Amino acid sequence: MQLTHHTPALQDTRTHLHVLFLWQRTYLDEAPACDAEDAAAVRSIKACSSIRLQLTSPLDAAGSLCEGIQDHERKMPRDSLIPSENDTDIELDFAGEDDFQEAHERKKHRGQRRDTDREKKRRKNSRRKEASSSADREKELQPRHKKTERSRRRSAKNEQETKRSKRDEEGRGQTTRRKTAKTKKNIKNEKTKKTDDEMEGEAGERNEKGKKKHGSAKKGERKEGGSEHVAKEKTQVKKKKKRHKKVVETSSDQETSEEGDDEENANEDEEVRPESLSPEELEKLKEAVDEKKKLIQSLRGKPWLMKKKLVTLRESQEFVEKYEGALGKGKGRKLYAYKVMMTKRWMKFQRDFENFKTACIPWEMKIKEIESHFGSSVASYFIFLRWMYGINMILFGLTFGLVMVPEALMGRPYGTIPRKTVPRAEEASAMDFAVLWDFKGYAQYSVLFYGYYNNQRAVGWLKFRMPLSYFLVGVGTVAYSYMVVIRTMARNANESGIGDDNSFNFSWKTFTSWDYLIGNPETADNKFASITTSFKEAILEEQESRKDDNIHLTRFLRVLANFLVLCCLAGSGYLIYFVVRRSQKFTLDGLENHTWWERNEVNMVMSLLGMFCPMLFDVISTLENYHPRVALQWQLGRIFALFLGNLYTFIIALMDEINLKREEEKIVKFNITTWEASLYNGTVSGNFTAPPVTIHPADVPRGPCWETMVGQEFVRLIISDTMTTYITLLIGDFLRAVLVRFLNYCWCWDLEAGFPSYSEFDVSGNVLGLIFNQGMIWMGAFYAPCLPALNVLRLHVSMYLQCWAVMCCNVPQERVFKASGSNNFYMAMLLVILFLSTLPAIYTIVTIPPSFDCGPFSGKNRMFDVIQETLESDFPAWFSKVFSYASNPGLVLPFILLMVLAIYYLQSTSKSYKQANVELKKKLQMQNEENKKKNKRAALKAQLDLEEARKEASQAGELQKNNNASIQSQEADEENHSRNPRIYHGRNGRGPPPFTDREPSTRGPVSRNYHHGNLSTPRYLPGFSQQSDPTTYRASNLQNP
Amino acid sequence: MVSPAIALAFVPLLLTLLIRYRYFFVLFYRAVLVRVWRDCVTGLSREERAYQYVLTHSTPGDPDSILDAFDVWCSKVEYISNIGPKKGKILDRLLMEQSPLTVLELGAHCGYSTVRIARALPLGARLYTIEMDQGNAAITEKIIRLAGFDDDTVELIVNPSDEVIPRLRSDYNLERLDFVFMDHWKKCYLPDLQLLEGCGLLGKGSVILADNVLFPGAPKFLRYLRKCGLYEWKIHRATLEYSTGIRDGMAELIYQGIK
């Protein structure tokens, strides 16, 4: 029984020690979350230690604990201010022990001895003192034994003290107070220590007075060595003092504690003998630790005040922290400390790594900043831009690495063959800037365009199959794009999940309308205003939907708006058609006779229309009075139609031009044959044996090469588009902002708030610009391999430029809205554009034969013949045979059929899953409602019961009341007040209160108290006794709001 | 030579600008073009024309009919930036709530707001109205007399506001202004407010109402209000007088003094 009495006292001492220890470890305050992980890490150690504890005797266990505490103490100075001297201090400790043992040869075999020690302990755990035969061990054990005896005596004396501490363990609140008081004391002690440092000489006496508590914490361990030990250590310490003056901080402390030991040990109230821990107590300790851990885990769901939660969390974390280690042996404890340190390091590393990862994502910080200022809809554009950049990087890598570089390095150099030489007629102006800007002259006869590539089957020492590579890269870029877009779409579709429920409009608005990424006060104001207006509008809408009279006007306006937009589209389409026809006329006339304006008419008109028409659509869309998210989608759709119209008009014009070029080519081909014939005739007539006439490649007549022409057109379009975008940005945003900002000083009205104001960021226009730009890249990349490179450049520049422009010249939108679902809308548009842009490319590749004298496929009937050629010449015969069989329609058709069937099957299964989902949802809702009803009924019943109970209680005698009062007082800090009456009732109406029979009689009040904290679920209340646990919980949750 | 097709491509831009800023174009037409044309045709100033109209279309001695005549003329015939009927209601309400005894009006223009304020004043209250321009002041005088207010109720001071305000205490024995209405040059809002503060004419609870703080707008004034902390203030949002699409606001300030 005495042993059990010891436990609280021991714990108190430990608390003391531990608080000291913790006081220096501030990481608990910094990252409370990591403690849970610490605990998890330690759990394994604890498990090991518990096994070991079962094996060893109580005394041994106590000894191990004692060692543990010693370690703890050793660790303490390590945490203090002077690390280097502390290490020596630890050495000193070991030295002291060794001196005490008086055996120099043992020093060498210390580890061995310990092992044997342990074995012996295990063998003779009941009669330890008698069994230990060797003198040194007796010496070692004797003081320990004395200690235990002394401590028992003391504990008997201080029974009241221990009882008090027991109660402390019971009521956690009290413990906290005491603990905090102790920490305060310790802090004071630390301070006094520092001052004592300065006055070294008097340190001994002063410390004796000032640090009674502090010393007492260490006495438990210090006493282990007898007086001999003390004396020797003293001398050691003095030597140390001479060497390092600052060591005194800790060593003098130890000294004083030992000095004060003899005089004061009777008065010490928190003195404990750790050896006195029995296995039951350890078990109990373990259980307590487990319970604390459970408490930490379940704390989040407790219906307590945050303050209380925090206090409890901190407390239980401290508790766990302390005893997890205490349960281990000395070695385990070291490991524990090491593990804690490592977890701390690991956490820090992880945090740093996260930061590093964020820093590695390009432009992440910029986008976040923009998001905080302008809301997520603007940020979504920049995220899309970044995504696009990534795609284009890969496309660029493919074309650059597999097409352009091999041709430039390994193909024939410039000037060797006609297709790689500037013709004689253009040579004079080939280096002019105007010509180069139009991508003619030297730019045309370079790797940038299709026509430059040679039809040589293999180039360089690598035997690189150039035409094949060209074809496969062209196909691969498109295939890769399809793959990426579809994959992203599928991922986004998963995320979006359930669509908007219109049935809870106001709830949605109340709980989800805030954009938590906003970090700018102005935007926050705007958002606030927009939420309020949206509420007003929603209320109005609700009223109107009940009135239902204005719907016709709205419908009319919407139809009118769409009509106007259609007119606009038709007008712009006609204008482009007109311009294209005119430009064809100009081309027939000869471009040199016309001005720059007329030559660039098509691009100019297309860019201008693409710029201005969306603005008009925007104005028109105010008629419709849609929610901005819906309005954005409409706007996107309209601009999409416009751009598509423009693009296809352009493509049709290109097709006409291709046909013209092909006719020209026929003529040229005929001319060349006659020219060659004349050449041969000339040579033949001259001298039979003379070498064939070498003609400079620049002089050789050549065909028009329609592929290069198409590539040039696309490049020009991209360039003019980019220029228009940048110029619009500079004039429309920057110049306007500058004017508004600085003219406002001397203008007669407020420019900033009123008429011109600053511009808003146009999300839809920019997104569509990006998408169509990408479409043009996909279309033209086959004929101009430089296009992805150009696009990467453009995207890179526009990322910086637009980020800057947004932050410096734009104001947040008046109606800031979240763009949660719009990302997939962008993707869908991208997919459509991808499809529409691959159509013409594939059409030209499949139907039109390549030019006869330029490009990698020259001389072939169709471009894809290159695959057949490769199969025939580069692969073994059986492979081509297999391929021809596989490409047999008899095999291909069934395969396609199979694929269609598979798609159909998958689709139908997904549909059925969806249906099942919907039904489950319905069921859930039904169940919810049922539960609600049930809950209500139960609550009503409980209320009735309660009233009855009250009546009974008022009639009942005083005895019962007293009983109840005592229970209530026990429960007061754990349970809600509302529950007390119910417990009350349970006692009166339905027999014994549920928790009394749950209580194991052997368990001390500490754990019992804790258990009650855990049982906060209303399972034990009579009113809810019929229901299962989770349903009650959810029902109560539902009731609360 | 720019080709016609490129010029045609600018049509959507023009349309956009026209539609988006249509109210401003209408305002420009009514307030500037019509005014210049009528000035040339009639040889009278705008205020005089308005006075003639009011004289012929209202009952003398009846402030309401005078105000109505003004409203009709400003919305149907020509444009004068009076406070207008909608914002006038806010002014009326504030006056009814406060029932101030000493009222200062900065910028009488042609007397519309003067009549409006004087109409809502309690018995024994006095309105000081300041007008800088001589011609406008003459019209204002006539309008006030037409509405039937005498010198005891309305005192017209013909001088720039920055000259008058420092002398208010000495020349007119004013201790405290209960209500100040500002509708003169938007640039003078801030200096005049600071003058009023400096002269100590504002007491705790004095109300200052400033018109047209959003359009044409007094940004410096609003910035000062946000910063100084002397006032409890809010902006009544409305549209510009005699126009529907242009947003405007009146700032209502309640002087709190230094706490």
Side-chain angles (χ1 to χ4, degrees), chain A residues 575 579 582 595 597-598 601 604-605 608-609 612-613 615-616 618-619 736 744-750 752 755-756 814, chain B residues 1-6 8-10 12-13 15-16 19-21 24 186-187 213-220 223 247:
Chain A
L575 189 63
V579 171
R582 229 163 79 103
T595 58
W597 290 105
E598 281 168 333
E601 215 174 40
M604 288 282 289
V605 166
L608 287 176
L609 281 180
F612 297 140
C613 280
M615 290 157 94
L616 190 59
D618 197 25
V619 166
R736 179 170 161 186
N744 204 23
Y745 289 122
C746 49
W747 203 257
C748 53
W749 69 74
D750 190 0
E752 285 180 346
F755 164 36
E814 229 168 285
Chain B
M1 173 55 204
V2 178
S3 73
I6 293 175
L8 269 177
F10 279 92
L13 177 69
L15 275 176
T16 309
I19 294 173
R20 185 171 285 170
Y21 300 117
F24 292 95
K186 313 307 164 204
K187 287 212 168 133
V213 287
L214 295 186
F215 183 85
K220 280 180 196 163
R223 217 168 288 145
R247 278 182 302 166

Side-chain angles (χ1 to χ4, degrees), chain A residues 39-104:
Chain A
V42 159
R43 216 163 286 152
S44 54
I45 311 173
K46 214 210 76 182
C48 297
S49 69
S50 70
I51 293 164
R52 214 190 299 152
L53 283 171
Q54 279 169 0
L55 290 173
T56 54
S57 73
L59 255 178
D60 186 31
S64 72
L65 264 174
C66 179
E67 274 176 28
I69 290 175
Q70 224 170 354
D71 281 350
H72 213 159
E73 196 205 5
R74 271 180 219 144
K75 240 175 279 153
M76 224 170 49
R78 205 176 288 171
D79 285 330
S80 66
L81 294 168
I82 319 132
S84 59
E85 277 95 355
N86 285 334
D87 290 343
T88 57
D89 207 20
I90 292 155
E91 278 171 28
L92 175 143
D93 277 5
F94 280 116
E97 271 175 2
D98 288 344
D99 283 343
F100 163 64
Q101 281 155 3
E102 287 182 333
H104 284 290

Side-chain angles (χ1 to χ4, degrees), chain B:
Chain B
M1 173 55 204
V2 178
S3 73
I6 293 175
L8 269 177
F10 279 92
V11 168
L13 177 69
L14 277 180
L15 275 176
T16 309
L17 291 180
L18 266 180
I19 294 173
R20 185 171 285 170
Y21 300 117
R22 57 192 181 280
Y23 298 111
F24 292 95
F25 291 115
V26 169
L27 183 69
F28 176 75
Y29 166 75
R30 291 186 58 209
V32 180
L33 297 183
V34 172
R35 177 190 179 181
V36 170
W37 179 62
R38 296 289 294 174
D39 280 356
C40 292
V41 170
T42 57
L44 293 170
S45 77
R46 184 172 57 155
E47 287 77 15
E48 282 165 345
R49 290 197 297 275
Y51 173 67
Q52 277 182 353
Y53 182 87
V54 169
L55 202 60
T56 50
H57 287 80
S58 67
T59 348
D62 182 7
D64 293 348
S65 78
I66 289 174
L67 292 182
D68 286 343
F70 257 117
D71 287 339
V72 168
W73 188 79
C74 291
S75 51
K76 297 269 153 51
V77 186
E78 274 184 57
Y79 181 86
I80 283 184
S81 62
N82 292 319
I83 185 170
K86 278 180 190 164
K87 282 192 283 182
K89 276 196 182 118
I90 298 171
L91 176 64
D92 289 348
R93 183 170 59 78
L94 279 176
L95 285 169
M96 293 295 182
E97 279 170 12
Q98 304 287 330
S99 48
L101 290 178
T102 343
V103 179
L104 176 70
E105 189 197 2
L106 302 173
H109 200 68
C110 48
Y112 179 89
S113 50
T114 316
V115 170
R116 192 138 204 149
I117 294 169
R119 185 181 68 153
L121 283 183
L123 269 178
R126 199 168 157 78
L127 167 66
Y128 298 88
T129 176
I130 298 173
E131 175 56 48
M132 188 176 75
D133 185 69
Q134 288 286 345
N136 287 352
I139 306 273
T140 308
E141 180 85 40
K142 286 181 207 163
I143 292 281
I144 292 166
R145 299 294 166 253
L146 190 69
F149 296 112
D150 56 2
D151 265 345
D152 290 340
T153 318
V154 180
E155 167 105 36
L156 180 68
I157 305 162
V158 186
N159 243 332
S161 56
D162 51 337
E163 284 177 25
V164 176
I165 290 169
R167 291 190 285 111
L168 275 178
R169 193 181 276 274
S170 54
D171 291 7
Y172 300 94
N173 294 322
L174 279 176
E175 281 304 314
R176 179 180 186 275
L177 292 167
D178 297 323
F179 194 95
V180 179
F181 179 65
M182 289 182 170
D183 194 11
H184 54 316
W185 287 109
K186 313 307 164 204
K187 287 212 168 133
C188 302
Y189 279 13
L190 181 58
D192 285 352
L193 183 73
Q194 282 167 337
L195 264 183
L196 284 172
E197 282 169 17
C199 297
L201 286 165
L202 299 174
K204 190 170 168 19
S206 296
V207 176
I208 298 152
L209 189 68
D211 191 18
N212 300 116
V213 287
L214 295 186
F215 183 85
K220 280 180 196 163
F221 180 72
L222 291 181
R223 217 168 288 145
Y224 173 74
L225 284 188
R226 278 188 203 110
K227 266 193 310 193
C228 74
L230 290 172
Y231 304 92
E232 208 173 83
W233 65 286
K234 61 179 168 189
I235 288 184
H236 298 277
R237 288 183 187 270
T239 53
L240 191 70
E241 53 273 6
Y242 313 120
S243 162
T244 47
I246 301 172
R247 278 182 302 166
D248 188 20
M250 292 207 294
E252 180 199 337
L253 292 65
I254 300 169
Y255 188 76
Q256 298 295 317
I258 299 153
K259 285 158 198 163

Side-chain angles (χ1 to χ4, degrees), chain A residues 399-411 447 453:
Chain A
T399 46
F400 191 76
L402 294 177
V403 172
M404 286 164 84
V405 169
E407 178 68 27
L409 290 183
M410 299 187 287
V447 280
Y453 292 82

